[in-house]
Each structure stands twice: as structure tokens, then as C-alpha cells.
Amino acid sequence: MKFSEQWLREWVSPQLATQALADQITMAGLEVDALEPVAAAFDGVVVAEVLEKIQHPDADKLSVCRVNDGSGELVQVVCGAPNVAVGQKVPFARVGGVLPGDFKIRKAKLRGQESRGMICSASELGLEEEASPGILELPESAPVGEDFRDWLGLNDHTIEVDLTPNRGDCLSLKGMAREVGVLNRLPVVRPAIPPVAETHDDTFPVRVEDAEHCPRYIGRLIKGVDVTAATPLWMVERLRRSGIRSIDPVVDVTNYVMLELGQPLHAFDRANLQGAVVVRLARAGERLVLLDGKEITLDDATLVIADERGPLAIAGVMGGEHSGVSAETRDIFLESAFFAPLAVAGQARGYGLHTDASHRFERGVDADLAREAAERATALLLQITGGEPGPLVEVASHEHLPAERRVRLRAARLEQALGKVLPAEEVTDILQRLGMVVDGDAQGWSVVAPSWRFDIAIEEDLIEEVARIHGYNRLPVRRPQARLALRPDHEGRTPLGRLRRQMVARGYYEAVTYSFVAPELQRILLPEAVSPVLANPISSDLSVMRASLFPGLVRALEHNLNRQQTRVRLFETGLIFRGELDDLQQLPMLGALACGSREPEGWAANREAVDFYDLKGDLESLIAMGGDPDAWRFEPAEHSALHPGQCARILHRGEEAGWIGTLHPAVRAQLGLKVDAVLFEVRLDALTHGRVPAFTPLSRFPEVRRDLAFLVDEELPMQVLLDTIRGQAGAWLTESRLFDVYQGKGVPEGRKSVALGLTWQHPSRTLNDEEINQLVDAIITESRQHLGAELRG
């Protein structure tokens, strides 16, 4: 919203400098985006009158003029403008004057003729961006000799305010003046808008078929207008300073009233209307050529203004080219209506449009303003274009007009929110100056919001109004009070941040995916999974809550592979959802996925692909952070998304905590993935809850190590063998390490050789060979009897 400071001060003029006024408006919640002068700097320009004009003797396109600039003598000037004429009032730059761009006016001779000054165009004075076709013609009332800058009020500023969507009431000079008046406790002097006397009884029929979206429609037939009349300079200037270009007097008047009062208007050429004006929803497939020449196809959700032949305009957005005012127009039908915000919201954007009218109607226009705006526009049109006004025709549906909004404001709630007690008289005064009807009592106030304040609906809205008018800078500043006792840091828990940093340190990137996934993807990976289905998903391919982190990670893998990323390392933390809504489990999980080469590309790196054991090592590094690796086990199992021979169930203290494995080849084929991927997910609470570290003194006595090589079935899990050995090794076994696995020459088919290093150490004495041999014998015997293991020679 742009407006002229001088125009605002005609309505209300506080004793504030320009910058102070802008700061006050900003502090009231209406942020000033820009404060700019309305014209470039120039001086030495006065109002002059052209008294003589003759053709330049040596140039066809130049004229020699004599002008009266109020100095007491006529001044000769050579002018090249085609529209200069005797009797014109013009802006004249005297010798010594300076125009925008630091252009200094000097005496000169043009083709032998003396020129002492310059008759100026609007662009030469910085009033237009594009080059003007001729000099700027001033009205006859312009006083000769007066400083042009002072006469036109160019020592002015344009104030641009960035309004939030809820403050549509300030999208007009009337609304801004009302705010400034309230802030400064000043009366607002608004122009008188008496009803225009009718000079004929002719009307044009109006029919509203959609009263819900158009509760009020007012029209007036004005005959005999002169569209070729010139828009007054004062109106052109006010429009320019508000960012609107002058077009013709009818359009200029409707734009002016919209800026002044906030009510968008539209004028139709009566000669192009047939039958009646009808406000209705468009019929699918109807077409309309807009004023900007763009042809659109309307859908059946668009509110239109039509006649018996078809659509004339998109209601509240833009008129049509066919019914618009042109130079041949003699009779106009003036429209002033109230359209419900929901009827206009989104319509402009849907057709690739954004207009001043739609900007206002989307945010809400005062439902009681249409008649006043029609009277104001009529009076201005009669003043500029002449014409004969008819009676106003109004079609209104009072049941669909905005209802009275009564809101309760409690004194105790206001004090709590503001942190101070405001006198009841001040609160009442603020609300009344904002146009509200206020009834006070001992507990608070009952407030009726004015018709122009669509945003006043709940108690918090009234608190905001009181706070901003009272002044945010006058509210008390208090430091927050809180108990800041140190929270205990449980040593047995690993913070999530440490787990994340560990994954990053091992070359992974954190992924953040949606908590809802495509049902088809989840069905491929987890055909037995049950999770809630969204009633109103953001899209059809994100309609079920995820039962695992696998679908999101796989989708992220596809995204990266499609962008030529051949080495992918991703991890994610988040909730998964299992079961129906009435018995829903929400489990925090940590998942990871890896594919591509084991090491980043480099001259010393090999090209081996990442495998199950690489990912298992990454997971075990997380497990080790909890300080209780013995609580975890990996056992062979089958999972619908994982390769049957490369899959393990993860157990924590005997309970299932997650899965790890290679993506199932069949699943990979269904998803169209051409590379292997390994992935895991594990319960986050199992990872974060570990064991409190405890000190164990170092033994001063020597270690004893024995290396044993067993021949076992190749299908035997190593965990089973390790559990058997530890069960027989006694309390002094300090380490059991697998250091070799061999299959080949010398090893029977279907068997494998596994070599382990076992280390014992006693805390208080030296172990002898007899004790160690007994333990080794027990290990060999137990392994042979229960596992079929043979000691390899």
C-alpha cells in the first residue's frame, strides 16, 4: 500500500516529522517498507504562461515562444515539443535552474535564436519514468510566477506500508488516517460525501444468483459522460504517488476512490450490456477476454459478473475487454459491491493474475462501504466528465452479510498478557477510538467490532489492539524467572547428538524424510506392516504413516542415484508407527543405508563395494558407545525387505531391537534399483540406554594366551561358538578374538576353519599351565559334543 504523506495530512496531521510519522506507523504494527520523495530534486522551475508562438525560421520541429514567468518581462525560449500552444500554463525552468540529473539551465542559441530557459515535460521533471511525448500542460488555474514545486506540492513523500493479511482495513487512505488519528488522539477530517441528486429515473436491472458470495451489489447508470475529458492534475498526481498510472477519467476515478476509501469499483460500458447484470458462478468452459487482452477459460468455481450473453468480468478481480470503457463510451454502469473474501481468495492466482481489487477483496472490504463509495465516485465523475446520474440500485442479502462480532475482553487476562495494569478508562478510550462499541463492567469489557475490522474475532485480537495503541515500547521489560538448577547427566545414557556425530564421523549424511510414505512402497518392503492411513494426505503418494525407516531411506537412495551419486551413505532418526490408531505404537528409531564403494574414490582406494559387515561395523561402533556390547546379539533371521542369506535380527538383552541386512534382490528389482544396498534400523532407546562406566583395576600378573582352530559346519553362526567357549572358559577370560576364517585346501567340503585367540588373566596371582589346560580341554569337549567342532591340528 502506497500513499502520499501530504494526502494523509489532509485527513489527519500529527505534529510529527516524516520519519517520526513512519516510525510511529511501524511501531503500531503496520510496517513501513519505504519512504521516498515523490519527485527528484530540482529548483528554479515556476508556473509560466505561453503568450506567443512562432515557427523557428531555420528548424521545422522547433518553435520560438515568449512566455510570462511572473518576472515582469516576457522571456523568449525555443521549444521542440509538438503540443506547445498559446495560452497554455506550463512548468518553466528559468536560467540558473537545475533539473534532475544535475542539468543546469543556461542561456543558449538554438539555430540562431536566443533561448533563455526551458519549457519542461513531466519526464524532464522526474514525474514520469518514460520519456514524455510533449510538455506538461497545467490547468488554467495555475498561478503564473509561483514556484512549480510548491504549487504542485512536490515536497512530499510516498510512504509504502507492508500490511499483514489481517489488516485489509488499512488498504486505503481512510484506513491509514484512522490509524494515525487513533495513535495521536486526533480527529480525522474526511471529505463530505453527500448523496448525489438523481437527474433521471433509468436503471439497469441487476440479478444476484449467488448471494452467499455476493451479499451486496450496488449499481448506477450514469448517462452522457465525456470519457475524453482530462483527468485533473491533482488526481493524476495522487494516483502517481500511490503507484498507479493515469488512464482515463473513468478508470482514474474508480482507482482514486479505491485508494481513498478502500472500495474497489468497476465501470461497464452501458452500450455493451444486454438484458441484465447477473452475479453468478461461471459455467464450465465459458471464456472471457480480460482488460489486459488475456483470454482465459473459466471454471465453475469462479464468481463472475455477466449479462444475458455471457461473462463480463471476474468478480472482485478484473473486468472484461468487451464491456470496458472506451473513448466512444457515452453511458456507464458503475458497480460497487461487497464480495465475500472466500469467493475471491485464490481466484486471481488461479488465473495468473494479481490486481489491486483482488488484493483488497481477498483480505476483506468493509461490507457497509459500497454505497458511500458509489456516491463518492459518482460525484467525482460528474465533476470531471459531466453526465446525468440515475438512482442507485441495490441488491442485498442481509443474512449473508458479515454478522455483528461481539468479543469479551477480561481485565485480568489483559493484565496477564501485557504485564501491567492499564486504567479501565484508557482501555475503553483506545477501543472506542478504533471504532468499537464498548460496554465495560467490573470484570472487563464487552466489545462489538466495527464492520471494517474482519480480524477482530477473539479476546487475543483485542489484547493486541490495546497493546499496539498503548505502545509496545511502553510495556514493562522483565527478565524471565526460572529455576535454573543443573539437570543430572545420566552416565549410562548416550545422547542422540553423540550418536549423530558418530555416524557423521563414519562418513554418513543425515536424511530427514516424511513420516508418511507411499502405500505401494511400504507394501513392497513391508507387506505385513499395519500403520495408520491418512484421511487427508498432502498427496496420494504420501498417504500412510511409515512402519519403518526403510521406505524413506530407500526413496532417498533413489533420489541420489538419479542424480549420479554412486556412493551413498545416509542415516535418519525418527518415529515409526505400528498398529491401528486405537492401539498405535510410536517407536523412535535410528536407521542407516549404504551403497557404492567401501572407500571414497582416490588413488590409494580400492573399488570394493560396501557389504553387510561394513554396515555391521558402523552399527557396532554405535553400540560400543553405550559401554555394554555384551547386551547385544545378532542372529540369522528372515525379513521381507532383506536378502535371506545376508540378514540378521538385532537383539538387545534378549528382546528384538531391530534388523540389519542387504536389500532383497526381488525388492531391488521391483524398485528398479541396479545396485546393492545394505541397511539397518534399531530402536533408539536401546542405543541410548547403556551401562554406567565402572573402574576395574589393572592386574599386575601376566596374561596367558591360547590359540585354538576349530573345524565347524560352514552354516554355524560364530556367535554360537563364541557363547559356548565363554561358557567354559571361566571367570578369568578377558578376551576372545576371532582372527581367521578359512575354507579351501585341507578343509573338508561343507566345513570351515575358524581360529580364535583366548586370553586369561587373574587379578591377584599368576595362572599356571595346569589351570589353563583344564579350561582349554573343557572348551574342546563342549564344542565337540554340542557343536560337532573338531580341533584342527
PDB file of all heavy atoms in Angstrom, residues 335-346:
ATOM      1  N   GLU A 335     -20.354  -0.055 -10.912  1.00  0.00           N
ATOM      2  CA  GLU A 335     -20.548  -1.178  -9.980  1.00  0.00           C
ATOM      3  C   GLU A 335     -19.796  -0.920  -8.683  1.00  0.00           C
ATOM      4  O   GLU A 335     -18.636  -0.531  -8.692  1.00  0.00           O
ATOM      5  CB  GLU A 335     -20.037  -2.467 -10.618  1.00  0.00           C
ATOM      6  CG  GLU A 335     -19.890  -3.637  -9.647  1.00  0.00           C
ATOM      7  CD  GLU A 335     -19.096  -4.781 -10.238  1.00  0.00           C
ATOM      8  OE1 GLU A 335     -19.681  -5.526 -11.050  1.00  0.00           O
ATOM      9  OE2 GLU A 335     -17.893  -4.916  -9.906  1.00  0.00           O
ATOM     10  N   SER A 336     -20.486  -1.151  -7.553  1.00  0.00           N
ATOM     11  CA  SER A 336     -19.853  -1.107  -6.241  1.00  0.00           C
ATOM     12  C   SER A 336     -20.464  -2.242  -5.429  1.00  0.00           C
ATOM     13  O   SER A 336     -21.662  -2.210  -5.134  1.00  0.00           O
ATOM     14  CB  SER A 336     -20.103   0.244  -5.559  1.00  0.00           C
ATOM     15  OG  SER A 336     -19.494   0.282  -4.283  1.00  0.00           O
ATOM     16  N   ALA A 337     -19.642  -3.241  -5.086  1.00  0.00           N
ATOM     17  CA  ALA A 337     -20.197  -4.462  -4.493  1.00  0.00           C
ATOM     18  C   ALA A 337     -19.347  -4.924  -3.328  1.00  0.00           C
ATOM     19  O   ALA A 337     -18.192  -4.522  -3.161  1.00  0.00           O
ATOM     20  CB  ALA A 337     -20.298  -5.561  -5.550  1.00  0.00           C
ATOM     21  N   PHE A 338     -19.958  -5.786  -2.526  1.00  0.00           N
ATOM     22  CA  PHE A 338     -19.221  -6.490  -1.479  1.00  0.00           C
ATOM     23  C   PHE A 338     -19.189  -7.960  -1.844  1.00  0.00           C
ATOM     24  O   PHE A 338     -20.230  -8.615  -1.952  1.00  0.00           O
ATOM     25  CB  PHE A 338     -19.878  -6.315  -0.109  1.00  0.00           C
ATOM     26  CG  PHE A 338     -19.289  -7.230   0.946  1.00  0.00           C
ATOM     27  CD1 PHE A 338     -18.013  -6.993   1.435  1.00  0.00           C
ATOM     28  CD2 PHE A 338     -19.987  -8.329   1.419  1.00  0.00           C
ATOM     29  CE1 PHE A 338     -17.449  -7.846   2.385  1.00  0.00           C
ATOM     30  CE2 PHE A 338     -19.441  -9.172   2.368  1.00  0.00           C
ATOM     31  CZ  PHE A 338     -18.165  -8.927   2.853  1.00  0.00           C
ATOM     32  N   PHE A 339     -17.967  -8.482  -2.064  1.00  0.00           N
ATOM     33  CA  PHE A 339     -17.774  -9.898  -2.337  1.00  0.00           C
ATOM     34  C   PHE A 339     -17.133 -10.541  -1.106  1.00  0.00           C
ATOM     35  O   PHE A 339     -16.180  -9.998  -0.544  1.00  0.00           O
ATOM     36  CB  PHE A 339     -16.872 -10.103  -3.558  1.00  0.00           C
ATOM     37  CG  PHE A 339     -17.411  -9.487  -4.820  1.00  0.00           C
ATOM     38  CD1 PHE A 339     -16.776  -8.400  -5.400  1.00  0.00           C
ATOM     39  CD2 PHE A 339     -18.554  -9.986  -5.416  1.00  0.00           C
ATOM     40  CE1 PHE A 339     -17.274  -7.823  -6.552  1.00  0.00           C
ATOM     41  CE2 PHE A 339     -19.057  -9.421  -6.574  1.00  0.00           C
ATOM     42  CZ  PHE A 339     -18.414  -8.331  -7.145  1.00  0.00           C
ATOM     43  N   ALA A 340     -17.669 -11.675  -0.696  1.00  0.00           N
ATOM     44  CA  ALA A 340     -17.111 -12.382   0.455  1.00  0.00           C
ATOM     45  C   ALA A 340     -15.659 -12.769   0.162  1.00  0.00           C
ATOM     46  O   ALA A 340     -15.341 -13.189  -0.956  1.00  0.00           O
ATOM     47  CB  ALA A 340     -17.935 -13.627   0.758  1.00  0.00           C
ATOM     48  N   PRO A 341     -14.771 -12.613   1.145  1.00  0.00           N
ATOM     49  CA  PRO A 341     -13.348 -12.928   0.897  1.00  0.00           C
ATOM     50  C   PRO A 341     -13.127 -14.321   0.328  1.00  0.00           C
ATOM     51  O   PRO A 341     -12.290 -14.508  -0.550  1.00  0.00           O
ATOM     52  CB  PRO A 341     -12.718 -12.770   2.287  1.00  0.00           C
ATOM     53  CG  PRO A 341     -13.584 -11.774   2.988  1.00  0.00           C
ATOM     54  CD  PRO A 341     -14.985 -12.049   2.489  1.00  0.00           C
ATOM     55  N   LEU A 342     -13.881 -15.319   0.804  1.00  0.00           N
ATOM     56  CA  LEU A 342     -13.683 -16.680   0.308  1.00  0.00           C
ATOM     57  C   LEU A 342     -14.091 -16.833  -1.150  1.00  0.00           C
ATOM     58  O   LEU A 342     -13.636 -17.750  -1.841  1.00  0.00           O
ATOM     59  CB  LEU A 342     -14.464 -17.672   1.167  1.00  0.00           C
ATOM     60  CG  LEU A 342     -13.939 -17.877   2.592  1.00  0.00           C
ATOM     61  CD1 LEU A 342     -14.820 -18.866   3.350  1.00  0.00           C
ATOM     62  CD2 LEU A 342     -12.496 -18.362   2.583  1.00  0.00           C
ATOM     63  N   ALA A 343     -14.954 -15.938  -1.645  1.00  0.00           N
ATOM     64  CA  ALA A 343     -15.357 -16.010  -3.044  1.00  0.00           C
ATOM     65  C   ALA A 343     -14.251 -15.549  -3.974  1.00  0.00           C
ATOM     66  O   ALA A 343     -14.182 -15.962  -5.134  1.00  0.00           O
ATOM     67  CB  ALA A 343     -16.610 -15.159  -3.271  1.00  0.00           C
ATOM     68  N   VAL A 344     -13.369 -14.686  -3.482  1.00  0.00           N
ATOM     69  CA  VAL A 344     -12.312 -14.107  -4.312  1.00  0.00           C
ATOM     70  C   VAL A 344     -10.970 -14.767  -4.033  1.00  0.00           C
ATOM     71  O   VAL A 344     -10.098 -14.810  -4.905  1.00  0.00           O
ATOM     72  CB  VAL A 344     -12.229 -12.577  -4.068  1.00  0.00           C
ATOM     73  CG1 VAL A 344     -11.167 -11.941  -4.947  1.00  0.00           C
ATOM     74  CG2 VAL A 344     -13.585 -11.930  -4.321  1.00  0.00           C
ATOM     75  N   ALA A 345     -10.791 -15.275  -2.807  1.00  0.00           N
ATOM     76  CA  ALA A 345      -9.492 -15.827  -2.409  1.00  0.00           C
ATOM     77  C   ALA A 345      -9.040 -16.918  -3.377  1.00  0.00           C
ATOM     78  O   ALA A 345      -9.762 -17.868  -3.648  1.00  0.00           O
ATOM     79  CB  ALA A 345      -9.583 -16.392  -0.990  1.00  0.00           C
ATOM     80  N   GLY A 346      -7.854 -16.752  -3.909  1.00  0.00           N
ATOM     81  CA  GLY A 346      -7.269 -17.739  -4.795  1.00  0.00           C
ATOM     82  C   GLY A 346      -7.683 -17.637  -6.239  1.00  0.00           C
ATOM     83  O   GLY A 346      -7.041 -18.226  -7.113  1.00  0.00           O
TER      84      GLY A 346
END
